[in-house]
Amino acid sequence: MCGIVGFTGTRAAAPVLLHGLERLEYRGYDSAGIAVLHDGKIQVEKVSGRIAKLCEKTKDGSNVPGSVGIGHTRWATHGAPTDQNAHPHVSNDGRFAVVHNGIIENYLELRKELIRDGYVFQSETDTETIVHLLELYYDGDVKAAVMKTAARLEGSYALGIVCTDEPDALFAVREASPLILGIGVGENYFASDVTALVSHTKNVIYLEDGEFARLMPDSVTVYDCTGRELQKKVSRVTWSVEAAEKGGYEHFMLKEIMEQPAAVKAALAPRIHDGRIKLDGFEITSEELKDVNKIVITACGSAYYAGCSGRYAIERLCRIPVQVELASELRYADPMVDDHTLVLVISQSGETADTIAALKECRARGAKVIGVVNVVGSTIAKLADHTLYTFAGPEIAVATTKGYTTQLAVLYLFALYISDKLGRIDAESYAALVKELQHLPRKIQQTIDMNWQLPNVASRYSSHSLFFIGRNTDYAVALEGALKMKEISYLHAESYAAGELKHGTIALIEENQPVIAVCCNEALMDKTLSNIVEVKARGAKVLALSFKGNKKIVSQADDVIFIPRAETVFSAALAVVPLQLLAYYAAKEKGCDIDKPKNLAKSVTVE
Ligand code: M6R
């Protein structure tokens, strides 16, 4: 969702900006633009559509001279995705250009005021108010104008600003929207996330809300909102450039599916020592735990579905009630959360606006919050009382895969850890489950290897409408499988708890209706088998997903996809993999834009 980049140095800025924008493409966007300072003027180039069009228009940046500039990918909120509404926006006097990620909530009021003062608007965006405010407050001191402007803005914003009167400087401002400064040698950068920076530098400063920075080619100064200079820590990014590239795969999504054995291992291995789980400094005593009367898990999209799987693991192993709540609902639900509630907030990006708001609601009510987050230094990681990183590495495809399975891995670790702390698991079962966890990466690899036939299966089951069914842990997987299918192949897919079919939805089953039945929960196998029989009796074509060696399923389903046998409580981490592949191949056959599905953004930083 909107991406911003900035560069100041001595070489040509435009190619650096375009390259940075390409790195941010995965966030989702519908127009793009750059503004570069040269000879006391700002040259702006922007297009609706893809960055490739902007590269073509600017001849890969070669016809936009200058060594200081800003760039933007816009995901339309206020106003259609047109050239006019694309960023950067320029002040009426041509002195300032601005790029913005976020939403200015009081923009209507500001717009009226600025129009009254004679400012002329070129776009329908909320962002344009910012650039006119800069002009309004400018009296020869850019830093002061930036501060005065920021003080007028309500909402969320990461801003990149250039001004012709400070031709080497970039200004970066952050409030409730991610912004990271990259520290180079003789050149400096900013970007919405580190994937746009890692090919230039691994040294970064994470700006906090209310802070802003002035970047020159050889210096970076960070200020608080009163203009006081701050001493900020420079952090080292561990992600490699290769990790953010396709590495020979046709799509990032396929690469990320294949990376799951390694990613899950990275999430598990550092936390298991001599058969015992240690959670990176997260300590909770048995006494403190006895004071916890419920666990609330909150998240959005796939992270929410990871929470649904996590719930089964925690409830089964710890016998603590777990409530899983959509963050977009919980934030407005006046939630029944207090200092006896332990809250798990799950987010790959750590920047999802609804999840951040839900986290704040829970904290305000006194709950202890644990973040399960992939992106280091992200907002959720900072706001949580303790963060368990998922160590998935950069996830570029909009559809999450390794982000999701590593969340499961962390939730499984958490469940076992708490269960042991509460004395609800005997030593032998604990040891066996820890061992089973350690086998997960290998079994995920086997799952991938066993499913080479999936392109054919996907082609037979691609239909305008698909059902995904399952019970208990399998239902949680069905939810995620259906979401994967919908978001990348645009096929209508719905998931149902198998036992619910009779209560209404079985009426939709007709001749040849594809039904994907997840049957990996041994205890409920016969129950799901009866549901398969029921839908088949009404003409459905059933593709079942079960563990290798399950003969019963072979006799009932039309087709079967196998996974290695695994402990039920952890089976979601295996079962989801063929469903990811199924969605991938269905989307590929339809010729969809797999890594950047329409209407979606990787990181949903606005409500
Ligand atoms: O970054 P987050 O984990 O907070 O993102 C939450 C959802 O937006 C995300 O999982 C979304 O549903 C994915 N596109 C699913 O593949």
Side-chain angles (χ1 to χ4, degrees), residues 307-369:
C308 295
S309 283
R311 172 189 152 206
Y312 291 115
I314 298 169
E315 287 192 337
R316 190 181 129 196
L317 296 172
C318 311
R319 306 308 299 157
I320 300 178
V322 180
Q323 205 178 313
V324 194
E325 297 283 348
L326 289 165
S328 53
E329 290 292 320
L330 182 135
R331 65 181 293 189
Y332 297 118
D334 192 7
M336 302 220 343
V337 164
D338 58 23
D339 54 356
H340 298 290
T341 319
L342 194 58
V343 176
L344 288 175
V345 173
I346 309 174
S347 175
Q348 187 284 130
S349 63
E351 301 293 350
T352 302
D354 283 323
T355 312
I356 293 170
L359 182 158
K360 288 181 178 164
E361 277 296 320
C362 294
R363 283 209 62 170
R365 286 164 164 76
K368 192 183 183 88
V369 174

Side-chain angles (χ1 to χ4, degrees), residues 468-486:
F468 284 71
I469 62 168
R471 288 172 180 261
N472 192 267
T473 40
D474 290 340
Y475 174 48
V477 176
L479 288 163
E480 173 61 6
L483 178 63
K484 284 285 90 76
M485 187 60 86
K486 278 182 272 212

